[in-house]
Amino acid sequence: MKVKLHFFALLIFSFYSCKSDKKESTPAPVSIERPDNEGLNLKNNAAVQYAKLDQEFIDWSKTQKEYPMITDSIWHFYFALSIAEETPKDNIYKGHWLDLKEDFTYTKGIYSNKTDEGRYLYIPQNGTIELRSTIDSSSEWKLKVDPDAMLFIGTQKYGNNSWQIKFVRKSGLPVL
């Protein structure tokens, strides 16, 4: 019963977040403040499909304030949902995990295997987190976190606005 309630809540959040993204006709530039209050202007361009992990992004990520609420655990994928695809009956990402580290790097994997790594930039003023991989992918998400769970809601920037991912907080990697 509890799982059905979580799924229903995730489904409602999914429709709400995607509905609001569709209303935006032209993305506006986003002003990002560094922790030292110097302004950075990044353009939110929906046509961008991949942003490289360049030195400018690395420098920005190093200037941010630490957020123990998102870095003190390993996040296990609990459920992922896309309104563009059929809802899976089970967790199709079973065994997947994300580790956001205090030095603003991240690692992703499946069970004990590391599959990706990179850097992230968390912007608390607008509640977004951007992940840039050392391999080949970028993503931006609206982030909601509480003591037990974290929710990523896709944004339009890299075209993942149909996705939502719920993570649960754990102290170690998933096991088979």
Side-chain angles (χ1 to χ4, degrees):
M1 180 69 175
K2 194 173 188 180
V3 173
K4 288 182 183 179
L5 289 175
H6 286 287
F7 177 72
F8 182 73
L10 185 62
L11 189 60
I12 289 172
F13 284 127
S14 175
F15 288 124
Y16 174 76
S17 69
C18 293
K19 194 173 193 178
S20 65
D21 282 347
K22 290 179 185 176
K23 290 179 183 176
E24 298 175 10
S25 57
T26 305
V30 176
S31 176
I32 300 171
E33 285 191 17
R34 293 186 189 183
D36 60 2
N37 294 327
E38 291 180 25
L40 298 174
N41 290 318
L42 296 178
K43 291 185 179 176
N44 187 3
N45 185 353
V48 175
Q49 292 301 311
Y50 168 64
K52 292 183 180 180
L53 182 59
D54 57 12
Q55 191 60 47
E56 187 175 31
F57 186 84
I58 292 169
D59 293 341
W60 287 340
S61 72
K62 288 179 180 178
T63 63
Q64 61 188 322
K65 178 182 166 190
E66 289 183 26
Y67 293 93
M69 187 73 164
I70 64 173
T71 61
D72 67 349
S73 304
I74 295 177
W75 296 98
H76 293 216
F77 281 62
Y78 181 75
F79 201 80
L81 177 67
S82 171
I83 63 164
E85 298 178 14
E86 186 176 327
T87 303
K89 294 182 190 313
D90 295 318
N91 181 4
I92 58 175
Y93 293 102
K94 186 175 182 175
H96 289 239
W97 52 270
L98 172 67
D99 187 8
L100 300 168
K101 299 176 184 170
E102 291 176 347
D103 66 354
F104 314 111
T105 62
Y106 74 88
T107 307
K108 289 179 5 181
I110 304 171
Y111 293 109
S112 62
N113 299 320
K114 182 173 74 169
T115 59
D116 193 11
E117 62 186 359
R119 296 193 73 84
Y120 69 91
L121 178 64
Y122 175 55
I123 305 162
Q125 291 87 347
N126 65 8
T128 61
I129 186 167
E130 184 173 347
L131 306 171
R132 292 202 187 169
S133 168
T134 57
I135 299 174
D136 68 355
S137 65
S138 301
S139 61
E140 183 184 67
W141 308 87
K142 286 282 188 183
L143 177 89
K144 298 186 185 293
V145 65
D146 67 32
D148 297 322
M150 179 169 65
L151 184 65
F152 274 13
I153 303 166
T155 69
Q156 188 177 12
K157 184 172 184 177
Y158 297 109
N160 60 328
N161 52 324
S162 65
W163 280 94
Q164 285 194 13
I165 303 171
K166 180 179 179 181
F167 299 90
V168 292
R169 186 185 301 273
K170 300 289 182 176
S171 59
L173 296 178
V175 292
L176 289 169

